[in-house]
Amino acid sequence: MLLLSLLNICVWHVASAVAQSRGGGQRAGNCPQIQIFGARETTTPQGFGSAITLVELVQKRFPGTVAEEIVYPAAGDELYSRSVGQGILAVIKQTAAFSARCPQSIIIMHGYSQGAQIMDDAFCGGPDLPQLESATSLVSKATANNTAAIILMGNPRFVPGLSFNVGNATAGGFAARPADFECPEFDDRIQSYCESPDPFCSNGDDPDTHQGYGFQFGSDALDFIVSKLVAN
Ligand SMILES: *[C@@H]1O[C@H](CO)[C@@H](O)[C@H](O)[C@H]1NC(C)=O
Ligand SMILES: *[C@@H]1O[C@H](CO)[C@@H](O)[C@H](O)[C@H]1NC(C)=O
């Protein structure tokens, strides 16, 4: 697959250090070695929201990594499903544009809460957005090829028992996938974090748990990303 060898990462660190000392940090054609897309949770202002914690961990571990926020409403209440639909389209469009411009760059996806739902639907196919209803991935072929890891935190589509779940939740979220759900093209590249007290990806009653995944599981997620960037 797309994966970098450890050697390549080391070589790139050196190249990047040189480029950065010249005020650059990006490779020829302004394409980074690694691009991370972040999608925020409901009702936070445009930006990375709670996804920022892991975004910054990745940028610290791989200097020169460029972070791009998914631009979508992240609206709640009666606007929620419309917002999810717009978010799915934004994920598809922004990743397709990037991988067309930078076909050699590695992509990391990180979605938080509603932001996780839109990535889940875009990569695994979704019942959301009826006009695009699909059981298969909606992202471009180049995006599918170049995406190394997809980190979902507090995903309302969480359902217990899936191979890529992390955390102790034993009940699904308010928009849970069916129990036999599979995402064969990406399941070995996904980690989906959910703890039982979370009211959104599970049936708990502690919103703080929902907001805390970056701190609770950020280094675990980073380890997973690193493992995906190192050829096996
Ligand atoms: C697949 O990914 C690798 C590594 O990022 C890249 O070199 C190659 O050009 C990509 N191929 C396609 C068809 O996108
Ligand atoms: C899951 O872990 C959290 C701590 O993150 C804890 O508060 C909760 O009680 C645990 N749930 C179960 C069912 O063990």
Side-chain angles (χ1 to χ4, degrees):
M1 293 215 330
L2 65 149
L3 307 175
L4 281 180
S5 71
L6 182 55
L7 180 64
N8 277 341
I9 288 181
C10 294
V11 167
W12 179 71
H13 266 308
V14 175
S16 159
V18 171
Q20 279 178 345
S21 70
R22 295 193 201 115
Q26 300 193 355
R27 298 196 301 172
N30 255 1
C31 287
Q33 179 85 356
I34 299 171
Q35 173 100 348
I36 182 166
F37 287 90
R40 72 200 192 281
E41 70 272 34
T42 306
T43 69
T44 46
Q46 184 62 55
F48 291 104
S50 295
I52 192 66
T53 308
L54 179 60
V55 164
E56 287 182 346
L57 285 174
V58 171
Q59 288 185 305
K60 208 167 161 191
R61 177 67 178 76
F62 299 107
T65 295
V66 171
E68 178 174 335
E69 51 195 74
I70 299 298
V71 179
Y72 86 112
D77 299 324
E78 72 283 359
L79 293 175
Y80 186 87
S81 50
R82 209 169 135 209
S83 171
V84 168
Q86 289 175 266
I88 296 167
L89 290 176
V91 169
I92 296 167
K93 197 174 133 200
Q94 288 181 235
T95 55
F98 175 74
S99 47
R101 183 169 68 80
C102 297
Q104 306 296 323
S105 296
I106 287 173
I107 294 171
I108 295 166
M109 303 298 296
H110 174 35
Y112 208 103
S113 194
Q114 185 179 166
Q117 182 166 344
I118 65 177
M119 289 186 182
D120 186 326
D121 282 347
F123 279 77
C124 298
D128 285 315
L129 202 70
Q131 65 269 38
L132 277 183
E133 187 163 343
S134 166
T136 53
S137 178
L138 302 169
V139 298
S140 75
K141 283 195 163 43
T143 297
N145 173 65
N146 293 352
T147 298
I150 302 166
I151 307 294
L152 308 176
M153 292 181 170
N155 182 8
R157 293 210 153 286
F158 179 89
V159 68
L162 305 186
S163 61
F164 45 74
N165 289 348
V166 186
N168 66 8
T170 55
F174 65 79
R177 294 285 193 179
D180 59 353
F181 177 70
E182 289 176 3
C183 184
E185 193 178 354
F186 297 104
D187 60 4
D188 62 344
R189 292 180 252 176
I190 300 175
Q191 294 282 268
S192 179
Y193 296 87
C194 183
E195 292 269 280
S196 69
D198 189 319
F200 303 112
C201 64
S202 188
N203 63 352
D205 57 11
D206 178 20
D208 289 346
T209 296
H210 185 69
Q211 290 306 322
Y213 292 116
F215 302 99
Q216 189 180 356
F217 289 115
S219 70
D220 185 88
L222 183 62
D223 286 349
F224 178 78
I225 290 166
V226 171
S227 77
K228 290 292 155 186
L229 293 176
V230 175
N232 32 32

